[in-house]
Amino acid sequence: MNAKIFRGRQKSFHRAVITHRGFLRLTIYSLALIGFFVLTAQPQFNGNAFATAQATGNSSVDELQKLFQSPPDDARIMMRWWWFGPSITKARLEQEMRLMRAGGIGGFEVQPVYPLALDDDGRGIKTLPYLSDDFLDALQFTAVKARELGLRFDLTLGSGWPFGGSTVSVNDAAGRLRVERVKVNDQSRRVKIPDVGNGEKLIAAFFTANQSQTFTKDSFKELTELKDGAVWLPENFIGAGEIFFFISSRTGQQVKRPALGGEGFVLSHLDRAATENYLKTVGDRLFAKLESHRPYAIFCDSLEVYNSDWTPDLLEEFQKRRGYDLKPHLPALVVSTGEHTADIRRDWGRTLSELFNERFLIPLHDWAKRQQTRLRVQSYGVPAVRLSSNAHLDLSEGEGVQWRGLSTTRWASSASHIYDRKVTSSEIWTWLHSPSFRATPLDVKAEADRHFLQGINQLIGHGWPYTPEGIAYPGWRFYAAGVFNEKNPWWVVMPEVSSYLQRLSFLMRQGRPANDVAIYLPNDDAWSRFSNGKIHLVEVLREMLGQNLIPSVLGAGFNFDFFDDDSFKQIGRVENGSLVLGEQKYRAVILPNVENIPLDTLEKLQALARGGGVLIATRQMPVKAPGMHAAADKPKVTTLSQAIFSGASPIGHFVTDETEQLKNRLASLVKPDVQLSPQTSDIGFIHRQTESAEIYFLANTGNVSRNVKATFRVQGMNAEWWNPFDGTIAPAKIESQSAQGTTLTLELEPYGSRVLVFTKRALPVAQIKPSQNIPTAMDISNEWQVTFGENQSAVRFATLRSWTDDESTRYFSGLASYEKTINVPDSFLQSGLNVQLDFGEGMAIASQPARPQAGPGMQTYYDAPVREAAVIYLNNQKAGTLWCPPYKLDVTKFIRRGENQIKIVVANTAINHMAGRALPDYRLLNSRYGERFQPQDMDRVQPVPSGILQPIRLVPTAKL
């Protein structure tokens, strides 16, 4: 048997998956699995007719409940679909789309990336160069088939990232300010100019005799005599010193992870002509064959145009926008040159942000509208892009699990909230439990819950690797990602995982977010901290906000959005003591460690405080107006700030401590939305309001159970538990109601989550006479017959153990069926009893800091009793699945008196199989195409415990 398990591993795995899929009942997706091909009911959206499903504003809670129980297709998760090479065939593309639909996935974003294999006629592998006729034909087929299958189709407007490639000339390539510093230690007047290559131009050269590295504006003298490839120093400059050469240059950055034919320079995002050339050569060609089957949205990935801080006409644009010549002040972008350094850098940073909006985002958005599609952008990163840049796109997207800090996830959801967009997407699971295939369904849930806590309601998984037929198990994989296709053994529970995520995505779109606090992003302060090569606005803002501000706001019982000056100017106003941004109203505004603030912004915030709104400044009070030309406003800001925060009758509040002082002050000024007792930083919440309901999603982000009293700022309403796993609704027991709100007990298992809905309706409470005699639980842990894969002989497990304990199954990845007969006594079937199949409690494990090479991802730190998922059958009926705590399943309606046949199909991950075999050798591939990627964490490919690891009991409990 043992040799058979490992020989022909790929075929046996696929047969096993198909076999066990055959037992799956029809789910809410109305899908039936027939081999790899699935026919589904017609969906609720089609191509560009896709619309955000939402209960009507004045709908009843009953209508909302029906939609929650059977959520619309548009709330399904999506996948980033990697086309490696691209080496694709139409037949396999259709297979994979049908598989996505079967797993509860609602669509995909096509992303052509690097090759993973050399062309091989024998295996049917042929690489179709990016933008070739064959590639475009396959893309057209995909678009047509996606619409036929009811799948949303998005398209990345490029190969790899950032935008760029073979069509981008050096003159359209991303620009940077290149600074060369040359020591002058002799008496020569002539100093050679550094090499200036193609696409570069010398802007200026400055001499300084200062050797202390402490400079003033007068420390630098511009050198204007240039000839014969050198600069010539005036007689009075001769001597020891240093020359700063400023060169309008190119970053030289190449597109990351490109497909064949997608190689080349990264596009300048600060040059409108470059953007328009790109849209003509890439965008128009991609759309030429899509015709009426155009994607729902085009996608622009994270802006990772490293060091892009210049464009050839920046000096001219700076003069027009800022009113003075930047050229004499260029040294201030490299070193401090005195009191005006911050103002100069601020003006430069703001100019960069304006150019990005006007020369990249706006033309891209206009092009998308002409193509009758939408623009989805991860609008953060480099070049310097601000939150208000989201005004120039249709769909905002974030990434990152840092729910207690300044994450780009919250950045994106804040933009959606203030610009009144119902849907915010996130790139999710990017580095989940590295290496590839190591992630579990629990990991998937835990990261998704953190995204929901940040206001996300459309998940775009990272991702789905296309794999040709005939590739050895477990198929192709991206170098830095989870894998969410049928190659993963726990795919058998993917419909249930998807269902959980779909229900929450739908519910988190309903009504409006109920965030009380608006946190001001001090862009001017951040720009003033820019320097040559350091122009990542989000990262600088993150440093400025620090580690205490956001945890204190959350700990005080509030949720929040970010805003900035430009969004305030675009759509903001002060009304009845609230800050109004679009349709959102905020009860409190926080100015975090702000030094520079425009006078008009501070005057509006003064009006907010005068009208009874809450205005808090932390660490320091604003003291200056930003920019070189704000001299007249600087003393006015100082005077006004002192009057607001420290005058004889201050109307604002100033706190120096952003921990307990801020938390307590905020909670004393605004009634908290949710108060926990005892307080814990593990539990987060997000709150949405409809006309008929107050909706709270709550999640335990930690690996131990939590039992707390939770007081919600809700009065005069009834409470209901809405189960996102199965859609059931049950009344919640209210413990008390007071002026502070409504208090309930909240019990959350490790990484557990709940939906609590307050409504005016009263649900009927079942009148059940509790059983007087609850029988003792039945231990069924011993004597199982276990079959690994398909067509194998059963193995006796006298006691439960990990598959890795046996040499024969140490490297087994797939499905194993545990079967036995149990005798259920009559006492278990009494009226008033429920019966649970209980797999026991898992165990928290100490979290280890992620190694630098492990990337920015996350994982759960919990040893589950079932590794990693199980499908339970009782008497040939599917009773349910288990893939996250609590590992208990109600089987009351499936058991019967006497003999019962029980089968538990357990799935692990593919990592064990990978650990038992040689890892892919990419030497020949790299020799042919160059090294376009490095597989992540291959030293961590080790077998992990698998199977049922703790005792199983059949447990009678009293019905509640």
Side-chain angles (χ1 to χ4, degrees):
M1 166 197 159
N2 299 341
K4 292 180 181 178
I5 290 176
F6 299 113
R7 287 199 303 265
R9 176 62 193 81
Q10 181 190 8
K11 292 182 180 179
S12 66
F13 169 77
H14 286 296
R15 286 196 301 267
V17 170
I18 294 169
T19 298
H20 293 299
R21 285 198 196 116
F23 288 98
L24 294 175
R25 294 182 301 168
L26 291 176
T27 67
I28 61 171
Y29 314 113
S30 300
L31 56 88
L33 300 178
I34 306 174
F36 280 115
F37 297 93
V38 184
L39 298 177
T40 62
Q42 189 64 27
Q44 298 182 18
F45 67 89
N46 193 9
N48 281 349
F50 178 93
T52 301
Q54 187 174 31
T56 57
N58 58 357
S59 64
S60 70
V61 70
D62 297 322
E63 179 185 348
L64 182 63
Q65 176 182 324
K66 290 178 182 177
L67 288 169
F68 172 74
Q69 291 172 328
S70 298
D73 283 354
D74 72 354
R76 292 185 177 198
I77 65 173
M78 293 176 59
M79 284 292 157
R80 180 170 295 179
W81 193 6
W82 292 294
W83 289 6
F84 294 104
S87 177
I88 47 180
T89 66
K90 293 178 181 178
R92 181 60 184 167
L93 288 170
E94 180 174 348
Q95 284 181 343
E96 294 198 355
M97 283 187 274
R98 290 182 179 275
L99 283 165
M100 289 183 202
R101 183 70 182 176
I105 296 165
F108 51 83
E109 160 205 310
V110 171
Q111 172 63 277
V113 289
Y114 53 84
L116 272 178
L118 301 174
D119 286 4
D120 186 333
D121 292 339
R123 294 194 298 168
I125 295 176
K126 180 183 178 182
T127 302
L128 312 180
Y130 183 62
L131 296 182
S132 66
D133 290 342
D134 287 341
F135 168 80
L136 294 174
D137 187 51
L139 186 66
Q140 181 189 47
F141 170 83
T142 300
V144 172
K145 187 59 64 174
R147 176 165 295 191
E148 177 185 318
L149 296 174
L151 295 171
R152 173 174 155 181
F153 161 49
D154 282 12
L155 178 62
T156 302
L157 208 66
S159 166
W161 71 95
F163 285 179
S166 59
T167 66
V168 176
S169 69
V170 67
N171 291 324
D172 284 353
R176 74 177 178 103
L177 180 62
R178 176 181 154 210
V179 181
E180 298 287 347
R181 298 172 66 168
V182 177
K183 295 288 186 182
V184 179
N185 295 314
D186 56 26
Q187 299 300 308
S188 174
R189 287 191 59 204
R190 181 183 185 278
V191 178
K192 182 182 177 182
I193 297 172
D195 288 340
V196 177
N198 189 19
E200 295 186 317
K201 180 181 179 181
L202 178 66
I203 304 171
F206 293 85
F207 172 81
T208 177
N210 196 319
Q211 300 295 302
S212 66
Q213 300 301 307
T214 300
F215 303 96
T216 67
K217 180 179 182 296
D218 296 331
S219 298
F220 291 90
K221 305 297 182 183
E222 185 175 0
L223 304 176
T224 57
E225 188 176 356
L226 286 74
K227 61 182 179 180
D228 301 327
V231 294
W232 293 77
L233 279 67
E235 293 287 350
N236 59 328
F237 285 10
I238 294 176
E242 189 175 11
I243 299 177
F244 286 57
F245 291 95
F246 292 86
I247 301 168
S248 175
S249 183
R250 306 292 168 175
T251 68
Q253 183 182 354
Q254 301 291 295
V255 173
K256 299 168 69 173
R257 324 299 177 219
L260 182 64
E263 311 87 345
F265 287 120
V266 167
L267 172 75
S268 172
H269 291 52
L270 303 175
D271 185 330
R272 183 166 190 134
T275 300
E276 291 176 345
N277 287 340
Y278 184 81
L279 291 173
K280 181 178 180 180
T281 58
V282 176
D284 289 352
R285 180 155 177 78
L286 285 170
F287 272 64
K289 292 190 69 173
L290 295 179
E291 299 172 347
S292 61
H293 295 84
R294 306 205 163 191
Y296 175 76
I298 57 170
F299 175 60
C300 176
D301 209 339
S302 54
L303 302 167
E304 299 176 22
V305 190
Y306 302 131
N307 300 316
S308 180
D309 58 6
W310 200 260
T311 193
D313 66 342
L314 192 137
L315 289 179
E316 292 86 347
E317 288 296 326
F318 189 97
Q319 177 79 53
K320 287 192 299 185
R321 297 162 189 267
R322 307 283 84 89
Y324 66 97
D325 187 2
L326 176 61
K327 185 178 178 182
H329 303 287
L330 285 173
L333 307 185
V334 182
V335 297
S336 175
T337 60
E339 62 174 325
H340 293 299
T341 300
D343 287 330
I344 295 165
R345 293 182 178 187
R346 175 267 179 192
D347 289 346
W348 172 55
R350 181 169 184 85
T351 302
L352 292 173
S353 295
E354 291 173 352
L355 292 176
F356 172 81
N357 286 347
E358 296 169 18
R359 296 180 168 189
F360 180 74
L361 270 187
I362 291 174
L364 185 60
H365 193 203
D366 290 343
W367 181 87
K369 286 188 286 187
R370 292 196 302 271
Q371 298 297 331
Q372 302 175 30
T373 186
R374 298 160 185 81
L375 176 61
R376 175 166 61 90
V377 183
Q378 294 181 354
S379 190
Y380 41 82
V382 179
V385 53
R386 54 190 187 263
L387 184 143
S388 50
S389 299
N390 282 271
H392 306 298
L393 48 93
D394 299 304
L395 301 166
S396 296
E397 179 160 303
E399 60 182 315
V401 299
Q402 304 86 3
W403 69 283
R404 295 175 61 80
L406 198 174
S407 70
T408 56
T409 306
R410 183 85 69 167
W411 173 284
S413 69
S414 297
S416 291
H417 295 165
I418 63 181
Y419 291 115
D420 198 29
R421 297 173 186 145
K422 301 302 181 186
V423 176
T424 310
S425 60
S426 63
E427 173 189 311
I428 189 170
W429 309 312
T430 304
W431 288 82
L432 184 64
H433 208 156
S434 176
S436 294
F437 281 108
R438 178 63 183 86
T440 71
L442 178 57
D443 293 324
V444 170
K445 176 187 184 295
E447 180 167 341
D449 288 348
R450 293 189 183 194
H451 282 256
F452 291 136
L453 290 177
Q454 297 179 79
I456 294 300
N457 49 29
Q458 174 67 70
L459 302 177
I460 301 184
H462 194 279
W464 185 289
Y466 175 94
T467 298
E469 292 287 0
I471 298 298
Y473 179 82
W476 284 352
R477 73 220 61 154
F478 196 65
Y479 79 99
V483 179
F484 301 92
N485 62 19
E486 88 289 0
K487 308 295 185 184
N488 230 325
W490 56 259
W491 174 259
V492 291
V493 299
M494 190 66 189
E496 285 79 7
V497 175
S498 296
S499 175
Y500 168 84
L501 301 173
Q502 180 185 5
R503 281 200 181 90
L504 285 174
S505 296
F506 163 76
L507 200 59
M508 293 299 99
R509 299 177 184 186
Q510 305 313 302
R512 295 195 174 277
N515 296 341
D516 295 296
V517 177
I519 297 178
Y520 174 80
L521 292 178
N523 289 345
D524 290 304
D525 283 345
W527 287 324
S528 72
R529 298 188 183 195
F530 279 12
S531 60
N532 178 228
K534 184 182 178 182
I535 40 98
H536 195 308
L537 186 62
V538 173
E539 288 187 354
V540 178
L541 287 169
R542 188 177 290 126
E543 293 172 5
M544 293 180 59
L545 265 62
Q547 299 180 351
N548 297 323
L549 174 76
I550 292 173
S552 292
V553 173
L554 296 173
F558 301 97
N559 245 301
F560 65 92
D561 286 321
F562 297 116
F563 75 106
D564 61 15
D565 281 299
D566 286 276
S567 57
F568 196 6
K569 291 177 183 177
Q570 291 164 353
I571 55 172
R573 66 187 187 277
V574 172
E575 183 179 281
N576 299 324
S578 295
L579 172 67
V580 182
L581 295 168
E583 299 299 319
Q584 298 302 119
K585 293 185 177 182
Y586 300 93
R587 306 179 183 210
V589 174
I590 297 178
L591 304 180
N593 193 29
V594 175
E595 181 180 10
N596 288 275
I597 191 168
L599 179 61
D600 61 341
T601 297
L602 190 58
E603 288 174 338
K604 291 175 183 177
L605 294 178
Q606 180 192 36
L608 169 76
R610 280 179 173 167
V614 174
L615 177 64
I616 301 175
T618 70
R619 281 186 273 170
Q620 67 174 329
M621 293 176 283
V623 293
K624 292 191 295 184
M628 283 283 280
H629 280 205
D633 287 345
K634 291 181 188 296
K636 295 178 182 178
V637 167
T638 302
T639 301
L640 182 57
S641 179
Q642 290 174 344
I644 293 172
F645 296 108
S646 62
S649 300
I651 55 177
H653 307 268
F654 175 62
V655 296
T656 57
D657 172 22
E658 289 179 341
T659 54
E660 293 301 313
Q661 186 183 6
L662 173 61
K663 183 167 66 174
N664 294 336
R665 181 71 63 87
L666 186 58
S668 70
L669 295 169
V670 181
K671 183 186 292 186
D673 195 355
V674 179
Q675 299 177 77
L676 302 178
S677 179
Q679 286 194 351
T680 171
S681 61
D682 285 343
I683 296 177
F685 76 92
I686 200 78
H687 176 194
R688 295 190 70 92
Q689 295 175 313
T690 73
E691 292 189 8
S692 59
E694 303 284 338
I695 303 167
Y696 288 87
F697 170 74
L698 304 112
N700 178 9
T701 63
N703 61 357
V704 296
S705 297
R706 296 292 182 186
N707 189 319
V708 300
K709 299 290 185 184
T711 300
F712 299 84
R713 191 181 57 205
V714 173
Q715 293 179 318
M717 302 181 82
N718 298 312
E720 304 172 4
W721 295 118
W722 289 32
N723 189 330
F725 293 93
D726 61 13
T728 57
I729 312 292
K733 180 182 178 182
I734 293 176
E735 299 194 1
S736 65
Q737 291 185 318
S738 67
Q740 296 303 309
T742 302
T743 301
L744 299 88
T745 294
L746 183 62
E747 297 182 18
L748 287 167
E749 59 276 359
Y751 302 108
S753 56
R754 300 285 186 276
V755 172
L756 183 64
V757 179
F758 291 92
T759 75
K760 289 289 188 180
R761 70 180 181 181
L763 292 180
V765 178
Q767 300 297 319
I768 300 173
K769 183 178 180 180
S771 175
Q772 299 300 312
N773 299 305
I774 299 178
T776 302
M778 178 190 304
D779 191 315
I780 59 172
S781 304
N782 300 327
E783 300 300 335
W784 289 87
Q785 296 295 312
V786 182
T787 305
F788 290 88
E790 189 184 43
N791 299 326
Q792 302 296 332
S793 300
V795 179
R796 174 175 170 266
F797 272 32
T799 58
L800 296 171
R801 61 184 184 271
S802 171
W803 304 346
T804 56
D805 291 345
D806 295 340
E807 186 65 32
S808 61
T809 52
R810 179 168 301 156
Y811 300 110
F812 176 78
S813 291
L815 307 179
S817 296
Y818 292 67
E819 298 184 65
K820 69 181 298 183
T821 299
I822 59 174
N823 280 290
V824 177
D826 290 351
S827 59
F828 275 48
L829 303 178
Q830 299 177 57
S831 175
L833 285 184
N834 284 331
V835 181
Q836 288 185 330
L837 194 62
D838 188 341
F839 289 75
E841 301 290 336
M843 181 181 298
I845 56 178
S847 61
Q848 299 296 321
R851 300 176 303 159
Q853 62 266 37
M858 69 158 289
Q859 68 180 77
T860 53
Y861 293 93
Y862 184 76
D863 278 339
V866 179
R867 302 290 297 273
E868 301 299 337
V871 184
I872 294 94
Y873 301 91
L874 270 164
N875 301 315
N876 295 320
Q877 295 185 72
K878 181 182 174 184
T881 62
L882 294 175
W883 49 273
C884 65
Y887 290 90
K888 300 175 183 179
L889 182 67
D890 190 319
V891 294
T892 308
K893 64 182 180 181
F894 298 100
I895 61 171
R896 60 195 182 201
R897 291 178 177 83
E899 286 193 352
N900 287 256
Q901 302 297 320
I902 182 169
K903 179 165 80 168
I904 305 170
V905 179
V906 180
N908 63 346
T909 72
I911 201 76
N912 290 13
H913 175 86
M914 292 169 61
R917 282 148 186 81
L919 296 172
D921 184 349
Y922 297 115
R923 288 177 300 168
L924 291 178
L925 184 73
N926 292 340
S927 296
R928 170 64 178 85
Y929 298 118
E931 189 177 51
R932 303 191 181 204
F933 67 98
Q934 291 183 342
Q936 62 182 16
D937 299 327
M938 290 297 97
D939 59 316
R940 302 175 70 184
V941 178
Q942 302 293 331
V944 297
S946 301
I948 303 173
L949 305 183
Q950 292 183 197
I952 311 173
R953 298 183 305 151
L954 207 59
V955 182
T957 60
K959 288 184 178 179
L960 300 178

